[in-house]
Amino acid sequence: MCFKTCLLIDDNYIDNFVTRKIIEGSNFAESITVVRSATEALTSLAEGKIKPDVIFLDVRMPLMSGFEFLEEYEKIDIDKDNIKIFMLSSSLDPMDMRKSTDSKHITQFIHKPLTQKALEDLCP
């Protein structure tokens, strides 16, 4: 296994289903937690309910976007040094890609759908 715990943050049920199946079919993570809102993810992280070493974060979600999540993520008191965040999005907006590159928390921008090959490339 590449990672112990994976957190998938995406509001789209179908995307979550597909991404989860791809991760489960690989040796990428021992466990996968799926949440459908950025606010739920922040609460779970802040309360210590989940301690992921990798997060897949969607850009465009209602109520709180992936970038807004990152602003709030910065404020919560958890050890962020060992958490890799991958922006996983179907967005083709160059601004989204640029913003993710500029974020100190984003390891890489990945276009949906997530593939087996992309997962292999992410393993340390």
Side-chain angles (χ1 to χ4, degrees), residues 8-12 15-16 35-42 55-70 87-89 91 96 112:
L8 175 58
I9 307 169
D10 194 326
D11 64 303
N12 187 297
D15 287 346
N16 284 334
V35 295
R36 293 187 60 196
S37 80
T39 52
E40 180 184 350
L42 287 166
I55 297 173
F56 287 104
L57 175 64
D58 188 21
V59 173
R60 306 236 166 121
M61 295 180 284
L63 304 177
M64 182 182 285
S65 74
F67 295 113
E68 291 168 328
F69 167 87
L70 292 170
M87 192 66 84
L88 182 62
S89 179
S91 172
D96 287 342
K112 287 181 184 177

Side-chain angles (χ1 to χ4, degrees), residues 4-22:
K4 184 170 173 53
T5 306
C6 175
L7 174 60
L8 175 58
I9 307 169
D10 194 326
D11 64 303
N12 187 297
Y13 176 83
I14 300 296
D15 287 346
N16 284 334
F17 180 81
V18 171
T19 302
R20 183 183 194 112
K21 288 295 180 192
I22 291 167

Side-chain angles (χ1 to χ4, degrees), residues 7 33 35 39-51:
L7 174 60
T33 299
V35 295
T39 52
E40 180 184 350
L42 287 166
T43 300
S44 294
L45 288 165
E47 293 176 354
K49 291 180 181 175
I50 182 165
K51 296 178 182 177

